[in-house]
Amino acid sequence: MTTLADPVPGGRPGDVERATALSGELSGRGVHGVVLSYVDTAGIGRVKTIPTARLASAAAWGVGMSPVFDTFLANDSIVTTDVLGSPDGDLRLYPDLDQLVVLAGQPGWAWAPVDRVTQDGERHPGCARTFLRRVVAEAAERHGLTFKAAVEVEWTLAREDAPGDAFVPATTGPAYGAARQVELGDCTADLLAACAAQGLDVEQVHPEYAAGQFEISVGAVDPVAAADRSVLVRQTVRAVSRRHGLRVSFAPAVVGQGVGNGGHVHLSAWRGGANLHSGGEGRYGMTAEAESFTAGLLAHLPGLTAVTAPSPASYLRLRPSQWAGVFTAWGRETRETALRVVTGTAGLRDQAANLEIKPIDLAANPYLAIGSLIAAGLDGLASSAALPEETTGDPARLGEAEAAARGVRRLPVSLERAVEEFREDDVLRAALGPVLADAVIAVRRGELASVAGLDDDQVAAAYRWKY
Ligand code: GLU
Ligand code: MG
């Protein structure tokens, strides 16, 4: 379980001693530097790096970085809110030593996620990881709940030697095809080795549907660790692929039409070691609380989309009948509903049952996304919300009347619509707090302005190599 304690000036108890020992051990293993990693509101991974010998100092006092990145756009231009986006001020980045790993795909480097703290030692209200820690801590305090989560990572492999920023898939083999596995087998074997060396329990890696596309899934862990892992997995995929002369895109859409890259989240709520999604009296073994949690997610999905599908390119992916889940509906093992109830295999259900949330891509900040999903589910749980009827098959085939009768809505078809839904969702905005909520709105609007007048292919090209 990730520590839910905030960093403090001078270091969390025991951290400085631990960092001192760690830096000696890391140096002995040939590690020269540590990557301090976080994700901004636009979903871009940002870093500072320090020499290994500075780790104890970072654990005690953090490392400086401007707060301006909270309102950076994917193209590195800057927007502002009432309190963010100014060139003034500084924050301290505190590494979480529990999550520090030696990077197998980048010899000489270790990696750690950070929380961002003000120079006065307070929580930074714009820190996404701090937000997720807070949501998890409050769920434990108020509801006695813990969670398990995992992010599925899909990416597209392209040839690095393609001219300019053009997209030339690294393999043309069929979807889920053996040919594709053979063609990229050296690279994916190195990826598996790197993940194993980094302690990532990979469940599977496979060729996905679209040209050059692959997917990796890792085991479920606590929500903060799951978000950390999704960042680490991407750092690893990128590093290993580069060594094979391949370029990686985690963008929601690498081209204007067709199946995109998702970042589905698997989530389950637990109380006292028992999985609420299994062994209950509700549908498919869900407890009443799991049904209400699912209902809460369904109700908030339109507003959530501004957090989980944050890029103009996200809406090239969020189209019906592409397994991206663009309707507010749920179904058991249904790949076209936004929520897929996964019961797990007989014999494993008490461990494996969970909810898969599909309208999420890897432009999303995973800390903001998972924290917002949990907040939405808890809103349903707290109000004992009723879960509507299940939908089987592709909701796209439902007529208007039937969809309306079932409460099945198409999720926002554009980032602009998603922002409107988010603005009207008091629960989500309150969960994020005004600083983060305003940052989400300002950054989404900034992204929209940056692609004004572009067609689908141009939007895909604008973001293709950003994520
Ligand atoms: N690529 C699909 C998406 O964009 C997901 C495919 C799958 O179900 O794994 O969400
Ligand atoms: Mg997939």
Side-chain angles (χ1 to χ4, degrees), residues 298-316:
L298 262 187
H300 290 288
L301 276 173
L304 278 166
T305 313
V307 179
T308 62
S311 168
S314 301
Y315 297 82
L316 304 175

Side-chain angles (χ1 to χ4, degrees), residues 43 151-155 230 234 250 252 261-263 360-364 467:
V151 179
E152 291 180 8
V153 173
E154 293 186 335
W155 72 95
S230 94
R234 282 178 265 173
F250 297 103
N261 290 318
I360 303 188
D361 60 53
L362 298 169
Y467 300 106

Side-chain angles (χ1 to χ4, degrees), residues 152 264-267 333-335 337-342 354-359:
E152 291 180 8
H264 304 178
V265 171
H266 289 264
L267 187 61
E333 299 292 4
T334 301
R335 286 176 171 77
T337 52
L339 302 183
R340 168 186 171 204
V341 167
V342 181
N354 71 80
L355 196 56
E356 181 184 42
I357 301 108
K358 297 173 81 73

Side-chain angles (χ1 to χ4, degrees), residues 40-42 69-73 79-85 125-126 368 422 432-446:
D40 72 13
T41 318
F69 297 96
D70 289 330
T71 48
F72 256 49
L73 303 183
V79 295
T80 56
T81 68
D82 290 353
V83 292
L84 296 171
L368 292 186
F422 176 77
L432 285 157
V435 173
L436 270 173
D438 286 355
V440 164
I441 293 167
V443 168
R444 306 298 176 258
R445 287 182 172 159

